[in-house]
Amino acid sequence: MERNAMPISVSIVEDSDQVRTTLARLINRADGFSCLNQYASAEAALEGLPAARPNVVLMDINLPGMNGSSACDA
């Protein structure tokens, strides 16, 4: 990837703090990627993602409350 190229921005939606933190760390260490933000619930993601506009969203499917599949349909 070119040095001047913008990194691929990634948002994470995952209820496990440990998994969410580990994924963010791995993404930030990967060349060409940047973890833009993290959400612990689908509801929080639906509020924040429209303004954040990430290139990629890593969505946990088995979330408490609204599940990841339903959030993707919203």
Side-chain angles (χ1 to χ4, degrees):
M1 178 171 255
E2 292 180 24
R3 289 236 181 252
N4 295 335
M6 295 288 292
I8 296 170
S9 60
V10 180
S11 290
I12 301 169
V13 185
E14 167 62 55
D15 59 314
S16 167
D17 292 338
Q18 183 176 5
V19 172
R20 195 171 59 248
T21 301
T22 301
L23 285 171
R25 189 175 302 125
L26 289 169
I27 290 165
N28 284 327
R29 289 182 181 173
D31 288 339
F33 291 88
S34 174
C35 183
L36 186 59
N37 44 33
Q38 306 169 41
Y39 304 97
S41 70
E43 293 84 357
L46 290 175
E47 287 183 31
L49 286 172
R53 299 180 48 92
N55 299 118
V56 175
V57 176
L58 293 180
M59 177 74 70
D60 182 2
I61 298 302
N62 192 23
L63 293 166
M66 178 185 284
N67 68 41
S69 294
S70 295
C72 289
D73 290 339

